[in-house]
């Protein structure tokens, strides 16, 4: 069970390690100061119907109650230790899983943890203003739930830094509160986390596409031979599932509403759809293209010696590593990656060890495609002839083999000029953004009401009705 009587809730017996406890209690006010500054705007007095973990078991989410977000019980929760767990891949395969950081991997492990940790506060910063334009109390509550849990994910990585990396770890933990999403001087580490999330369509796309990168990266880290990292990632994954639900259902409800309006009014042209205050499917496709391509970059280069090192040293595995049936060392295996040669995209086989980023990206794409198929069903059921598609893997990429090439959504290699001529057919234009923002000028806060551009959800949170007071504004 989680101990909530301590200043920092935890299930790691923090009280036994006074030095660590004091170090984290020192970091705690800095974290809160960051939250007051960079957390959801004007929300500090709101009472939000939030879930708080009561244990790390899958059903340990029993507790729902009104909480002021700055008083949320952020803490340190690791899945229980399995005494028999081993390193399951790489050159140390078969050794007992490490309970301490192996000296030779200290700096790369710290780097992985810092990169993971950096994304969590970044996403809160990106979503800071959205509460002011929420489409309903239900949605407002959901974004706040996502935000406090991203805050807790930061705690998870900061615990590892403090507990296992001494002074360097404490310095990294400070830096995690100092970088800012989109800042020119001190930006967040990874590209997608410096992009703005200007409106709710972008928020739902982000939680569908980018939080799912979170899932796949956490799954890979949950395989780590460094047991404390694996155990904390396992628990983080239970929180991540809700974020992806918010994204998938959010986009689905927007599509639903658009299709309903199109059907009712027998209209088809984007301008007619917009005239009725809903988001045309073409704009939804452009947002999809943007968030998908920017998120594909988060997997790193197609061929990466970093990724090979992470794997060989047993620090970061593949998706569902222990369920895969092979030698778990990948000594002789090969894997296909794409490359641009002249004006063609070729596939070539490379050592699988070096292609682990690409492999994780491919696993991700498969799951994303299934989600997009579910959105498509909403359109099909409305009898509307429109296809949502994933753009080509090489479209709008800035990391890996496609960097510097101008590839269309269907995979043709173009010149920069040709590509630019189509840019705003494929990606949201300033006009698209300003149209979407024009729909979201204020907060919809009446009980049970939803903005015109989104359908209500199928059901409320924790069995509550849709007209429940999910947020009290005080
Ligand atoms: N932007 O071999 P390469 C989440 C850098 S999301 C900027 O290509 P590697 C969440 C790279 O750092 C999950 N830079 O890549 C979601 C390296 O730099 P150095 C986050 C990039 O290292 C929503 C250089 O390029 N977790 O949790 O194999 C809400 C060459 O490296 C980018 C993780 O990512 C980029 N997109 O793989 C909240 C897991 N990509 O060494 C939360 C931890 C690469 O030249 N991170 N670079 O200075 C990793 O495993 C790896 O760092 C990466 C990159 C997969 C990100």
């Amino acid at each position: 069970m989680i101990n909530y009587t301590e200043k920092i809730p935890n299930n790691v017996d923090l009280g036994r390690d006074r030095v660590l406890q004091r170090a984290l209690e020192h970091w705690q006010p800095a974290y809160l100061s960051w939250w007051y500054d960079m957390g959801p705007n004007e929300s500090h007095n709101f009472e939000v119907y939030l879930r708080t973990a009561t244990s790390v078991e899958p059903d340990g989410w029993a507790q729902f109650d009104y909480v002021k977000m700055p008083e949320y019980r952020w803490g340190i929760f690791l899945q229980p230790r399995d005494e028999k767990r081993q390193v399951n891949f790489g050159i140390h395969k078969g050794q007992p899983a490490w309970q301490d950081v192996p000296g030779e991997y200290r700096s790369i492990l710290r780097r992985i943890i810092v990169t993971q940790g950096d994304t969590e506060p970044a996403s809160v910063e990106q979503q800071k203003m959205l509460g002011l334009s929420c489409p309903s109390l239900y949605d407002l509550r959901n974004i706040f739930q996502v935000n406090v849990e991203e805050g807790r994910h930061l705690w998870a990585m900061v615990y590892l830094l403090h507990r296992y990396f001494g002074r360097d770890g404490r310095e990294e933990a400070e830096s995690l509160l100092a970088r800012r999403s989109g800042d020119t001087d001190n930006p967040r580490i990874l590209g997608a986390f410096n992009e703005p999330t200007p409106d709710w369509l972008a928020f739902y796309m982000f939680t569908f596409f980018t939080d799912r990168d979170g899932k796949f990266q956490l799954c890979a880290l949950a395989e780590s031979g460094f047991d404390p990292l694996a155990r904390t990632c396992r628990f983080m994954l239970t929180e991540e599932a809700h974020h992806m639900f918010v994204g998938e259902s959010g986009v689905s409800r927007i599509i639903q509403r658009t299709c309903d309006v199109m059907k009712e009014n027998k209209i088809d042209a984007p301008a007619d759809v917009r005239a009725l205050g809903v988001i045309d499917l073409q704009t939804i496709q452009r947002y999809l293209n943007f968030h998908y391509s920017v998120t594909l970059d988060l997997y790193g280069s197609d061929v990466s010696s970093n990724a090979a090192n992470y794997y060989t040293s047993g620090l970061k595995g593949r998706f569902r590593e222990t369920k895969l049936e092979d030698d778990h060392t990948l000594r002789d295996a090969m894997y296909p990656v794409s490359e641009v040669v002249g004006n063609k995209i070729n596939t070539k086989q490379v050592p699988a060890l070096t292609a682990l980023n690409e492999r994780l990206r491919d696993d991700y794409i498969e799951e994303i495609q299934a989600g997009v198929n579910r959105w498509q069903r909403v359109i099909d059921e409305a009898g509307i002839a429109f296809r949502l598609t994933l753009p080509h893997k090489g479209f709008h990429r800035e990391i890996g083999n496609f960097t510097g090439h101008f590839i269309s959504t269907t995979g043709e290699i173009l010149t920069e000029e040709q590509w630019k001529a189509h840019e705003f057919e494929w990606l949201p234009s300033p006009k698209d953004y300003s149209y979407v923002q024009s729909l979201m000028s204020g907060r919809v806060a009446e009980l049970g009401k939803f903005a015109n551009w989104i359908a209500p959800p199928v059901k409320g949170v924790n069995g509550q009705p849709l007209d429940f007071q999910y947020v009290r504004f005080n």
Side-chain angles (χ1 to χ4, degrees), residues 111 116 119-120 150 191 210 213-214 297 301 304 306 316 357:
R111 187 194 161 84
Q116 176 62 49
T119 62
E120 318 289 0
E150 299 301 7
T210 311
D213 170 52
D297 277 342
S301 307
S304 163
N306 286 349
K316 181 178 176 189
N357 287 340

Side-chain angles (χ1 to χ4, degrees), residues 266-282:
K266 303 194 173 54
I267 51 171
D268 197 35
D272 297 340
V273 173
R274 287 188 178 192
L276 293 171
V278 294
I279 305 174
D280 49 292
L281 297 173
Q282 290 77 359

